[in-house]
Amino acid sequence: QLQASGGGLVQAGDSLRLSCAASGRTFVNYATGWFRQAPGKEREFVATIRWSGGSTAYADSVKGRFTISVDNAKNTVYLQMNSLKPEDTAVYYCAAGVYSRSVHDYVYWGQGTQVTVSS
């Protein structure tokens, strides 16, 4: 299973680091992605990384501000979020699946963690 944590309430310009800890099985042959869903909106892609090779991809809206990384020893994927904006406010989910930007290509989902950015 996947366990997301690290969300909170911050001000615009602040930073947060989200964690996605994997347990119960190995996800080394998968990619782990972060997605977010704001109230009244569809779930959208944020970033993804391959556990094995470290290839990454980002949504244009977060490129240059967010960094995804993996710690294989800890079975954990991180999302470092800098220069946060109010429009980053959403519930953030981590998921494992095919290396893709599509929510439909991810089959294992963690529970969400709320990120709220005040202006």
Side-chain angles (χ1 to χ4, degrees):
Q1 67 182 41
L2 299 172
Q3 181 80 24
S5 63
L9 171 63
V10 297
Q11 293 186 332
D14 285 351
S15 298
L16 274 177
R17 188 177 77 161
L18 305 183
S19 299
C20 178
S23 63
R25 62 167 294 152
T26 177
F27 291 97
V28 68
N29 295 318
Y30 292 82
T32 294
W34 285 97
F35 294 81
R36 66 187 182 187
Q37 188 165 18
K41 296 188 176 181
E42 293 188 353
R43 194 167 298 188
E44 66 174 4
F45 168 77
V46 175
T48 188
I49 188 167
R50 296 185 193 272
W51 279 90
S52 56
S55 299
T56 60
Y58 296 91
D60 288 344
S61 59
V62 307
K63 199 174 296 183
R65 299 188 298 122
F66 291 11
T67 302
I68 191 170
S69 62
V70 60
D71 185 332
N72 286 295
K74 295 184 178 180
N75 255 6
T76 300
V77 171
Y78 300 99
L79 184 68
Q80 178 66 43
M81 306 186 296
N82 298 329
S83 303
L84 283 161
K85 304 175 181 180
E87 50 264 43
D88 294 318
T89 295
V91 177
Y92 283 70
Y93 299 88
C94 64
V98 174
Y99 183 75
S100 164
R101 295 169 181 260
S102 172
V103 65
H104 303 292
D105 289 328
Y106 290 79
V107 294
Y108 300 98
W109 288 83
Q111 90 296 352
T113 184
Q114 176 71 47
V115 172
T116 303
V117 184
S118 64
S119 58

